[in-house]
Amino acid sequence: MISLELLAPAKNLECGIAAVDHGADAVYIGAPRFGARSAAGNSVEDIRQLCEYARPFGVKVYVTLNTILYDDELDDVSRLLLELQKAGVSAILVQDMSILKMMNHGPFPVIHASTQTDNRSVEKVRWLRDLGFSRVVLARELSVEEIAEIHKAVPDIELEVFVHGALCVSYSGLCYASQHCFGRSANRGECAQFCRMKFSLVDAEGGEVEHDRYLLSLKDMNQSDHLLELIEAGATSFKIEGRLKDVGYVKNVTAAYSERLNGIISRYPDKYCRGSQGTCQYSFTPDLRKTFNRGYTTYFLHGRQPDIASFDTPKAMGEFVGTVKELRADSFNVSGLSTFANGDGLCFVNEDRQLVGFRANRVQGNRIWPWRMPQGLRPGIRLYRNNDQEFERLLSKPSAERKISIRISIRAVDDGFTLSVTPDSCLQIPSLTIHFSVEHVQAQKPPHENMIRQLSKLGDTIYTCSAVDIPGDFNYFITNSVLSEMRRSLVEKLVSQRGGSLVTSRDMTKEPSPSDIPSYPHTYLYNISNHLSRQFYGAQELSAYELKGGKGPIMQCRHCIRYSLGYCVKHGGHRPSWKEPLSLVLGDGRRFRLEFDCHHCQMNVYKSEK
């Protein structure tokens, strides 16, 4: 059996619990400090509570400690590692190799290599495996063929892939634009969203190729229709991006992907199973179109695609709901099959390619009265809904119940009875048997129906009984009070047994030799920011961009503006009339030179020039 894991984000404890309830097999959450989303930190106590809530379902909790670290922070990190180990976390995600040196001196959880370590090659993944990492979070940019190649070459390490959510335009860990422009390091969890800003594109002679567009802003990833391809390529953990997203996002997206994975398992029940236990019942129909998105893309799953960027807006477009049909002074109607509600958030792209948003103040059928008629609205314009009031209302309430299905068996033994639980389907709960010393009393009428009724009453526990197995020759009378006590004792024992730690053993890391370390073309790309990391790499100095700057690119991108605009001759595009190099220009005049590395099919962005 191959165990498949749906990994959901948690901004806080509430989101983490919602992720468990809505079908996650694992949850990742930020530590109080040192996570790659500094605005999404959580107390160790909240993390402990999440571990306790998740553990009976077999759901794992991973904690992000994936920033680079400074020397004056190392003692705090060492103490935090011990606290997280005591809280029961299953793994931590790291970028800074100093943590490996700390972890050689204590019984810490397993370690996963964050996508911030730039995991895009067989050589890098093999190196991380040899260092003791149990899992690698692959770069978002990889195709299904590249993932399969890595799995084939390094089959003995878990591969985690992003399947949904916002996309960074630069390879993760190698983006220094925010640090350069605003003094806010992405590698320290403080990204200022440089890639969501508006740029003009100019050529070497100052000619404007594009004016004020979001040329580095990508659509959001959606691989919901391609999970089986990723599974067959060797990925086993499927990660939803969104540690800054609200609880409604977590509920909807987790439920949607959980249902997709269940569908795959139902087709291949002898090959795949879920990484945790429990079946979810929802009070809503999951719909990825209704959750925050900038439009969806499969990114590079099947190679380079022309429509991965969102040049007109970095904001949420939402779902297409129809075209504007007819306008009046204070209202308009929409052609299409969508229904609307008072308060819906709607938007459209006007003739100047600007996103215009407004709210529906009143709705009657397909006629909408905005609070104020938006400028630029005209017949034929495509209308989108980025806030569905009715859907949000459903998500604001308790919207899922997760239950573990078990089978109960009762048997007569010489001095009483035994009550047992056996796994249902491919569940990973262990078999359990409890003995009860109860006098044998022959029943005067068949006891089976009542016993099934009493033993199946699992009430508000996390369990539901799929069947009660009673031998055909079983003919003993047991009072309802005794049956209830037997059932309660069995469930309590089962809960306590499932309450054990989900932390697995970790292989000790080894010190790499300099020849083992994958080489980068620029020293600062190692992100060495403390003495332990420097020792780990055998480096002469602290070279992180955050400390010393650098002369190389501040972004390395698989996204290529020239390709997206239709001017990549290598891929059949038009031959450009402009003269390179091209530059991105911010509204304040700062320029960023573009380098098109066609040999590696990569676009590099260099720091601003005066």
Side-chain angles (χ1 to χ4, degrees), residues 5 17 31 117 120 128 148 158 185 192 205 208-209 298 319 330 351 415 455 504 522 596:
E5 176 186 275
I17 289 173
T117 55
R120 51 174 146 156
L128 292 165
E158 296 175 0
S185 167
E205 298 176 341
E208 194 171 72
V209 180
T298 58
E319 61 175 325
D330 61 350
E351 292 180 347
D415 57 346
L455 293 177
T504 55
H522 304 287
F596 298 101

Side-chain angles (χ1 to χ4, degrees), residues 11 86 112 119 350 396 427 470 503 590 595:
K11 176 172 66 174
K86 292 177 182 177
H112 296 173
N119 310 317
N350 66 17
S396 68
L427 296 180
I470 305 174
V503 178
R590 281 181 288 180
E595 173 188 73

Side-chain angles (χ1 to χ4, degrees), residues 411-420 432-438 440 486 489-490:
R411 296 289 185 272
V413 293
D414 290 343
D415 57 346
F417 302 94
T418 61
L419 203 59
S420 302
L432 172 67
T433 299
I434 296 182
H435 175 267
F436 298 91
S437 295
V438 178
H440 288 182
M486 293 171 69
S489 298
L490 185 70

Side-chain angles (χ1 to χ4, degrees), residues 466-488:
S466 63
V468 176
D469 178 20
I470 305 174
D473 59 354
F474 190 100
N475 193 41
Y476 299 99
F477 171 74
I478 305 175
T479 67
N480 287 348
S481 60
V482 171
L483 286 171
S484 296
E485 179 58 32
M486 293 171 69
R487 182 191 67 235
R488 280 194 298 269

